[in-house]
Amino acid sequence: MFRSLPRLAVVCVLLAVGGFSGRLVAQPFAFTYVEPAAPFTNYGDASFGDIDGDGRMDILAVGNSNANSPFLPTTYQAFTRAELRDSFSGLWGIDFEVANLPIGLWHGGIAWADYDGDGDLDAVTTGANGTSEPYAGTTVLLVNNGSQLEPSAVTLPGLYGSAASWSDFDGDGDLDLLLIGAQSSDQFQTLLLRNDGGAFVEFDTSLPDLAFGDIAWTDFDLDGDADVLLSGATSDGTFVTDVFINTDNEFSPLGAQLSQPAFSSADWGDFDGDGDPDLLLSGGEISPLIFDGLLHIYRNDAGTLTLHEELVPSFYGEARWGDYDSDGDPDILAAGAEGAVGDKAVRIYANEGASGFVERIFLTGLAFASADFSDYDGDLDPDVLVTGLDRERSTILGLYRNDYRVPNTAPSAPSNLQSSLASGVLTLTWDAATDEQSGQGSLTYNVRVGTTSGGDDVLPSTTVAGGHRRLVSDRGNTGESTRLLLNLPNGSYFWSVQAIDAGFAASEFAAEGSVNVTGKDTSTDTEENADGQAFALDEPYPNPAAGAVVIPYSLDEINPDTAPAIAVFDARGAVVSRALLPARSGTGEWRWEPQVAAGLYFVKLTAGAESAVTKLVIVR
């Protein structure tokens, strides 16, 4: 087992990686190469976002702009100004206005967010700012001044071999920041930074310390809060990939049976249209060739992730879901090498339903790569941006326009917006939208909450103010879930939700709802009778559990005609176990011997009209 991942990274860099294998791939839909008049990069990240709010996608890039030593870390923003065609060569070009940022980074990444809720797009960039070991990690919060990004004065922990991702994990309406990466060759960290009015405070968690991997938030259990997948390496040379379930801001490992790669990429998407998030995972596993790549699709069945399909390996790159052919289901964009030694490729796989994923497009050969889907030209289909090293070890930034001639149509707006308040927690719900291409499948949802009508100063939507067009091409902030739990201070709030399809086309926002948060219960799962005895369902133990589970409860006055009961449901709502309880008030415990697969389960206590629910994670 290798013990020093940073040195492994250097070894992998120096290895010769094979080029294009020469096989022919059908190209039923054309992608036209567009010459990007912007610096090329590798060992970093490049991503589309509408920085200046003019309706055209711009580029933010971090990485090394030299293929060989002396290396040159760079960070820049490139603003789209015009589209050109060279009449002699017939190639398209993009006229970019490039603005370099003062701190150059590589071995890191980019995460977009409107972190300050002012309606424009901010970002965080991470990586190493030096060109040789020992590396020094840097994390920069870039704040939008209305026309471009500028480094802020906010100080954040510096990490390299890093990834960053935003999510409102605590439901207070502002976006928090999760970082993984290396402080040094033997100190890896996972840091959850809670956003408290624009100041970031480290929030204590039991999440594993990782680097050289990825972060992917989603509401995995569809209960209204944000769960997270972490993938990467530990400082002792072992690998971790798992989903961590958020229960009252505490994260418990799901114990999912997943591959354990390093240099990994992870993305959530509903490829089978059943309304829950499935997982796309790439990276490398230790082998006699140092690393063998992998590209795995995991299907989510009632909270259990099962390996669905293995595609051509993709190592030290990026894999993303996106509907490139506008048929309503997510396809796959994958950039990377087949291993530490092997072919390099940027491939697009079509989602053919029962026939699986079929390689349809071969764009170029790249490793040490990033890849992004986005409709940069506004013709309602996702285009492609890639960076990396090609087979001649030349640095590349490639922009490919999707020339598929049948545009995607945006979904309908969600309907039936409802809000309720219990124990100070605000629950927002809505009915699923519909989509011409996919029905109700493969849609995600994006909620905005503000203190004024039409505003999103509380929970930002990264959507153009007063419209529906988004500033980024990404999933909605609640994922596939049609509910959101918020813990907001007293006050009046306005909210709405839009649907986003697999091609990142966004619906109009639904008719706006409003709610007054008072902090007083309108309903409760715990009620006391006159004798002070509560009706309650307490935390099961152990939780997570690999064997028998004890579930404490208490009952108040019992109606002799209504027997109290306890039941366990899987993530789809199917009952997997049920028992009647003694019809007497007081406390008790129910012992359950689970004969079920690993996954997330819900325990429900009922007695007459009273009920209470808690979560339970089973591991194997």
Side-chain angles (χ1 to χ4, degrees), residues 17 26 55 160 215 270 298 300 321 335 350 381 466 497 562 579 605 619:
V17 182
Y160 68 91
I215 304 165
D270 182 14
Y298 291 90
N300 185 349
W321 297 105
D381 53 28
V497 58
T562 305
L605 173 70
V619 297

PDB file of all heavy atoms in Angstrom, residues 17 26 55 160 215 270 298 300 321 335 350 381 466 497 562 579 605 619:
ATOM      1  N   VAL A  17       1.238   8.376 -20.528  1.00  0.00           N
ATOM      2  CA  VAL A  17      -0.112   7.849 -20.651  1.00  0.00           C
ATOM      3  C   VAL A  17      -0.441   7.736 -22.124  1.00  0.00           C
ATOM      4  O   VAL A  17      -0.219   8.671 -22.896  1.00  0.00           O
ATOM      5  CB  VAL A  17      -1.127   8.761 -19.948  1.00  0.00           C
ATOM      6  CG1 VAL A  17      -2.513   8.179 -20.038  1.00  0.00           C
ATOM      7  CG2 VAL A  17      -0.724   8.926 -18.496  1.00  0.00           C
ATOM      8  N   ALA A  26     -19.330   6.087 -33.437  1.00  0.00           N
ATOM      9  CA  ALA A  26     -20.396   6.781 -34.167  1.00  0.00           C
ATOM     10  C   ALA A  26     -20.583   8.185 -33.622  1.00  0.00           C
ATOM     11  O   ALA A  26     -20.502   8.414 -32.426  1.00  0.00           O
ATOM     12  CB  ALA A  26     -21.703   5.987 -34.040  1.00  0.00           C
ATOM     13  N   GLY A  55     -26.284  37.251 -19.636  1.00  0.00           N
ATOM     14  CA  GLY A  55     -27.014  36.206 -20.334  1.00  0.00           C
ATOM     15  C   GLY A  55     -26.128  35.245 -21.093  1.00  0.00           C
ATOM     16  O   GLY A  55     -26.639  34.287 -21.679  1.00  0.00           O
ATOM     17  N   TYR A 160      -4.654  21.900  -0.834  1.00  0.00           N
ATOM     18  CA  TYR A 160      -4.392  21.518  -2.233  1.00  0.00           C
ATOM     19  C   TYR A 160      -4.766  20.042  -2.398  1.00  0.00           C
ATOM     20  O   TYR A 160      -5.076  19.365  -1.422  1.00  0.00           O
ATOM     21  CB  TYR A 160      -2.936  21.777  -2.619  1.00  0.00           C
ATOM     22  CG  TYR A 160      -1.930  20.884  -1.931  1.00  0.00           C
ATOM     23  CD1 TYR A 160      -1.525  19.683  -2.502  1.00  0.00           C
ATOM     24  CD2 TYR A 160      -1.372  21.240  -0.701  1.00  0.00           C
ATOM     25  CE1 TYR A 160      -0.607  18.861  -1.871  1.00  0.00           C
ATOM     26  CE2 TYR A 160      -0.460  20.428  -0.058  1.00  0.00           C
ATOM     27  CZ  TYR A 160      -0.077  19.230  -0.649  1.00  0.00           C
ATOM     28  OH  TYR A 160       0.829  18.416  -0.018  1.00  0.00           O
ATOM     29  N   ILE A 215     -16.509  15.927  -3.689  1.00  0.00           N
ATOM     30  CA  ILE A 215     -17.654  16.147  -2.805  1.00  0.00           C
ATOM     31  C   ILE A 215     -18.902  16.241  -3.673  1.00  0.00           C
ATOM     32  O   ILE A 215     -18.875  16.906  -4.711  1.00  0.00           O
ATOM     33  CB  ILE A 215     -17.500  17.472  -2.026  1.00  0.00           C
ATOM     34  CG1 ILE A 215     -16.197  17.509  -1.232  1.00  0.00           C
ATOM     35  CG2 ILE A 215     -18.697  17.714  -1.124  1.00  0.00           C
ATOM     36  CD1 ILE A 215     -15.829  18.906  -0.756  1.00  0.00           C
ATOM     37  N   ASP A 270     -30.501  11.502 -11.835  1.00  0.00           N
ATOM     38  CA  ASP A 270     -31.542  10.460 -11.874  1.00  0.00           C
ATOM     39  C   ASP A 270     -31.586   9.861 -13.276  1.00  0.00           C
ATOM     40  O   ASP A 270     -32.414  10.219 -14.091  1.00  0.00           O
ATOM     41  CB  ASP A 270     -32.882  11.070 -11.483  1.00  0.00           C
ATOM     42  CG  ASP A 270     -34.007  10.047 -11.459  1.00  0.00           C
ATOM     43  OD1 ASP A 270     -33.709   8.838 -11.489  1.00  0.00           O
ATOM     44  OD2 ASP A 270     -35.173  10.468 -11.426  1.00  0.00           O
ATOM     45  N   TYR A 298     -24.017   3.832 -10.268  1.00  0.00           N
ATOM     46  CA  TYR A 298     -24.721   3.166  -9.184  1.00  0.00           C
ATOM     47  C   TYR A 298     -26.182   3.597  -9.188  1.00  0.00           C
ATOM     48  O   TYR A 298     -26.482   4.783  -9.148  1.00  0.00           O
ATOM     49  CB  TYR A 298     -24.093   3.506  -7.833  1.00  0.00           C
ATOM     50  CG  TYR A 298     -22.722   2.907  -7.647  1.00  0.00           C
ATOM     51  CD1 TYR A 298     -21.586   3.613  -8.031  1.00  0.00           C
ATOM     52  CD2 TYR A 298     -22.560   1.641  -7.108  1.00  0.00           C
ATOM     53  CE1 TYR A 298     -20.320   3.072  -7.868  1.00  0.00           C
ATOM     54  CE2 TYR A 298     -21.303   1.086  -6.944  1.00  0.00           C
ATOM     55  CZ  TYR A 298     -20.184   1.807  -7.335  1.00  0.00           C
ATOM     56  OH  TYR A 298     -18.934   1.253  -7.177  1.00  0.00           O
ATOM     57  N   ASN A 300     -29.827   3.890  -7.473  1.00  0.00           N
ATOM     58  CA  ASN A 300     -30.408   4.060  -6.144  1.00  0.00           C
ATOM     59  C   ASN A 300     -31.739   3.326  -6.098  1.00  0.00           C
ATOM     60  O   ASN A 300     -32.694   3.697  -6.781  1.00  0.00           O
ATOM     61  CB  ASN A 300     -30.598   5.556  -5.866  1.00  0.00           C
ATOM     62  CG  ASN A 300     -31.096   5.854  -4.470  1.00  0.00           C
ATOM     63  OD1 ASN A 300     -31.498   4.959  -3.730  1.00  0.00           O
ATOM     64  ND2 ASN A 300     -31.084   7.126  -4.118  1.00  0.00           N
ATOM     65  N   TRP A 321     -23.112  14.141 -15.333  1.00  0.00           N
ATOM     66  CA  TRP A 321     -24.376  13.865 -15.991  1.00  0.00           C
ATOM     67  C   TRP A 321     -24.810  15.095 -16.784  1.00  0.00           C
ATOM     68  O   TRP A 321     -24.561  16.233 -16.376  1.00  0.00           O
ATOM     69  CB  TRP A 321     -25.471  13.571 -14.981  1.00  0.00           C
ATOM     70  CG  TRP A 321     -25.290  12.369 -14.115  1.00  0.00           C
ATOM     71  CD1 TRP A 321     -24.943  12.369 -12.800  1.00  0.00           C
ATOM     72  CD2 TRP A 321     -25.502  11.001 -14.474  1.00  0.00           C
ATOM     73  NE1 TRP A 321     -24.916  11.087 -12.316  1.00  0.00           N
ATOM     74  CE2 TRP A 321     -25.252  10.229 -13.319  1.00  0.00           C
ATOM     75  CE3 TRP A 321     -25.860  10.357 -15.657  1.00  0.00           C
ATOM     76  CZ2 TRP A 321     -25.361   8.841 -13.307  1.00  0.00           C
ATOM     77  CZ3 TRP A 321     -25.966   8.973 -15.642  1.00  0.00           C
ATOM     78  CH2 TRP A 321     -25.723   8.230 -14.497  1.00  0.00           C
ATOM     79  N   ALA A 335     -14.087  12.590 -18.811  1.00  0.00           N
ATOM     80  CA  ALA A 335     -12.753  12.958 -19.271  1.00  0.00           C
ATOM     81  C   ALA A 335     -11.735  12.340 -18.339  1.00  0.00           C
ATOM     82  O   ALA A 335     -11.872  12.429 -17.125  1.00  0.00           O
ATOM     83  CB  ALA A 335     -12.592  14.474 -19.301  1.00  0.00           C
ATOM     84  N   ALA A 350     -24.433   7.968 -24.453  1.00  0.00           N
ATOM     85  CA  ALA A 350     -25.874   8.183 -24.523  1.00  0.00           C
ATOM     86  C   ALA A 350     -26.595   7.203 -23.605  1.00  0.00           C
ATOM     87  O   ALA A 350     -26.258   6.013 -23.557  1.00  0.00           O
ATOM     88  CB  ALA A 350     -26.367   8.020 -25.952  1.00  0.00           C
ATOM     89  N   ASP A 381     -29.281  23.370 -25.631  1.00  0.00           N
ATOM     90  CA  ASP A 381     -28.645  22.069 -25.462  1.00  0.00           C
ATOM     91  C   ASP A 381     -27.275  22.290 -24.819  1.00  0.00           C
ATOM     92  O   ASP A 381     -26.656  23.328 -25.000  1.00  0.00           O
ATOM     93  CB  ASP A 381     -28.532  21.272 -26.763  1.00  0.00           C
ATOM     94  CG  ASP A 381     -27.873  22.037 -27.894  1.00  0.00           C
ATOM     95  OD1 ASP A 381     -27.040  22.927 -27.619  1.00  0.00           O
ATOM     96  OD2 ASP A 381     -28.173  21.748 -29.063  1.00  0.00           O
ATOM     97  N   GLY A 466     -35.809  38.143 -11.035  1.00  0.00           N
ATOM     98  CA  GLY A 466     -37.030  38.440 -11.771  1.00  0.00           C
ATOM     99  C   GLY A 466     -37.276  37.542 -12.968  1.00  0.00           C
ATOM    100  O   GLY A 466     -38.264  37.716 -13.678  1.00  0.00           O
ATOM    101  N   VAL A 497     -40.310  27.949  -6.279  1.00  0.00           N
ATOM    102  CA  VAL A 497     -39.469  26.839  -6.719  1.00  0.00           C
ATOM    103  C   VAL A 497     -39.599  26.694  -8.230  1.00  0.00           C
ATOM    104  O   VAL A 497     -40.668  26.950  -8.804  1.00  0.00           O
ATOM    105  CB  VAL A 497     -39.868  25.534  -5.994  1.00  0.00           C
ATOM    106  CG1 VAL A 497     -41.331  25.183  -6.232  1.00  0.00           C
ATOM    107  CG2 VAL A 497     -38.981  24.368  -6.403  1.00  0.00           C
ATOM    108  N   THR A 562     -57.321   1.716  20.864  1.00  0.00           N
ATOM    109  CA  THR A 562     -56.301   1.975  19.850  1.00  0.00           C
ATOM    110  C   THR A 562     -54.968   1.438  20.320  1.00  0.00           C
ATOM    111  O   THR A 562     -54.353   1.996  21.239  1.00  0.00           O
ATOM    112  CB  THR A 562     -56.163   3.488  19.570  1.00  0.00           C
ATOM    113  OG1 THR A 562     -57.445   4.001  19.217  1.00  0.00           O
ATOM    114  CG2 THR A 562     -55.187   3.731  18.436  1.00  0.00           C
ATOM    115  N   ALA A 579     -44.670  -3.912  14.614  1.00  0.00           N
ATOM    116  CA  ALA A 579     -45.001  -4.612  15.855  1.00  0.00           C
ATOM    117  C   ALA A 579     -45.993  -3.789  16.654  1.00  0.00           C
ATOM    118  O   ALA A 579     -45.939  -2.555  16.649  1.00  0.00           O
ATOM    119  CB  ALA A 579     -43.741  -4.854  16.678  1.00  0.00           C
ATOM    120  N   LEU A 605     -43.628   5.686  15.190  1.00  0.00           N
ATOM    121  CA  LEU A 605     -44.429   5.312  16.350  1.00  0.00           C
ATOM    122  C   LEU A 605     -45.810   5.933  16.201  1.00  0.00           C
ATOM    123  O   LEU A 605     -45.919   7.127  15.925  1.00  0.00           O
ATOM    124  CB  LEU A 605     -43.754   5.815  17.629  1.00  0.00           C
ATOM    125  CG  LEU A 605     -44.526   5.659  18.942  1.00  0.00           C
ATOM    126  CD1 LEU A 605     -44.609   4.188  19.335  1.00  0.00           C
ATOM    127  CD2 LEU A 605     -43.847   6.473  20.051  1.00  0.00           C
ATOM    128  N   VAL A 619     -26.016  -0.690   8.364  1.00  0.00           N
ATOM    129  CA  VAL A 619     -24.785  -0.958   7.635  1.00  0.00           C
ATOM    130  C   VAL A 619     -24.499  -2.453   7.685  1.00  0.00           C
ATOM    131  O   VAL A 619     -24.979  -3.166   8.565  1.00  0.00           O
ATOM    132  CB  VAL A 619     -23.601  -0.156   8.216  1.00  0.00           C
ATOM    133  CG1 VAL A 619     -23.842   1.342   8.059  1.00  0.00           C
ATOM    134  CG2 VAL A 619     -23.381  -0.498   9.680  1.00  0.00           C
TER     135      VAL A 619
END
